């Protein structure tokens, strides 16, 4: 995807917390059906809750307004400098990363598959910060992708010059 040039787009996540979230999501898929929001128990996600987000999907809206955060974890709010609950990508990010995020999320909805992306944060003036993100589709009763369950793990540079520290595992 052109909007994500320079980002890694692996076929599966490498961060342990994201792998565990993917395994949980996969355990909720059955008979070719994506999980619904009702299948997800927040108590089961305590291991990644600060890094978790939930987005409402409304594909009948124009692209800038299709995806709105319903939940924005405390670690995400800390990194972004404020809670983004109730906001769209374009209300929370600069234009280029917001456009790329809409393209990425639209692909997830259309293809009905989990997507993963990572690299350096290119917004918020935090280019020193690395991230890894997982987005997982949730369907409604009509079988349409109506929500996205996801999480972002940030990797902070080590103060000692050793291995980077992660915000959650």
């Amino acid at each position: 995807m052109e909007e994500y040039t320079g980002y890694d787009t692996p076929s599966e996540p490498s961060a342990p917390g994201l792998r565990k979230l993917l395994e949980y999501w996969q355990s909720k898929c059955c008979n070719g059906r994506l999980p619904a929001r009702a299948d997800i128990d927040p108590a089961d996600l305590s291991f990644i809750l600060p890094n978790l987000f939930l987005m409402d999907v409304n594909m009948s809206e124009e692209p800038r307004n299709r995806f709105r955060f319903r939940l924005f974890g405390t670690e995400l709010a800390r990194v972004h400098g404020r809670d983004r609950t109730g906001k769209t990508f374009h209300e929370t990010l600069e234009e280029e990363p917001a456009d790329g995020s809409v393209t990425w999320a639209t692909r997830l909805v259309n293809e009905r598959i989990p997507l993963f992306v990572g690299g350096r944060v290119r917004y918020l003036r935090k280019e020193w910060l690395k991230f890894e993100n997982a987005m997982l589709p949730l369907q409604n009763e009509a079988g349409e992708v109506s929500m996205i369950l996801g999480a972002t793990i940030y990797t902070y540079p080590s103060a000692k010059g050793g291995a980077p520290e992660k915000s959650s595992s």
Side-chain angles (χ1 to χ4, degrees):
M1 307 199 85
E2 191 172 315
E3 290 81 4
Y4 276 86
T5 301
Y7 286 114
D8 297 324
T9 56
S11 59
E12 59 184 49
S14 64
L18 296 181
R19 284 197 314 266
K20 189 173 177 180
L21 178 63
L22 175 61
E23 289 167 6
Y24 175 80
W25 177 86
Q26 288 169 330
S27 77
K28 301 299 181 178
C29 294
C30 66
N31 300 324
R33 184 183 73 77
L34 296 173
R37 168 60 189 93
D39 297 325
I40 307 300
D41 184 351
D44 295 337
L45 302 175
S46 61
F47 66 93
I48 200 163
L49 209 49
N51 300 76
L52 202 68
F53 62 87
L54 190 62
M55 299 194 85
D56 289 317
V57 174
N58 186 345
M59 294 303 284
S60 66
E61 289 281 343
E62 64 100 10
R64 296 175 66 93
N65 294 320
R66 285 182 183 160
F67 306 99
R68 188 169 300 278
F69 290 101
R70 177 181 286 220
L71 169 79
F72 200 75
T74 56
E75 175 64 4
L76 304 179
R78 190 181 72 75
V79 169
H80 284 257
R82 65 186 168 113
D83 184 8
R84 307 297 177 139
T85 301
K87 306 287 186 189
T88 66
F89 286 126
H90 283 85
E91 293 170 321
T92 63
L93 299 172
E94 295 165 9
E95 190 77 19
E96 186 178 347
D99 288 344
S101 296
V102 166
T103 299
W104 198 242
T106 300
R107 178 179 171 207
L108 174 141
V109 170
N110 291 337
E111 296 181 22
R112 302 172 58 82
I113 58 170
L115 293 175
F116 314 102
V117 65
R120 292 204 176 274
V121 173
R122 295 186 190 171
Y123 52 92
L124 303 172
R125 296 188 176 124
K126 295 184 179 187
E127 291 79 12
W128 49 268
L129 187 61
K130 291 184 179 180
F131 78 97
E132 187 174 354
N133 174 275
M135 295 194 322
L136 312 167
L138 302 176
Q139 72 177 31
N140 59 22
E141 290 179 5
E144 301 164 333
V145 174
S146 60
M147 298 187 95
I148 297 171
L149 172 66
T152 304
I153 303 292
Y154 296 99
T155 305
Y156 297 89
S158 171
K160 299 174 189 165
E165 299 172 18
K166 292 194 177 187
S167 65
S168 180
S169 55

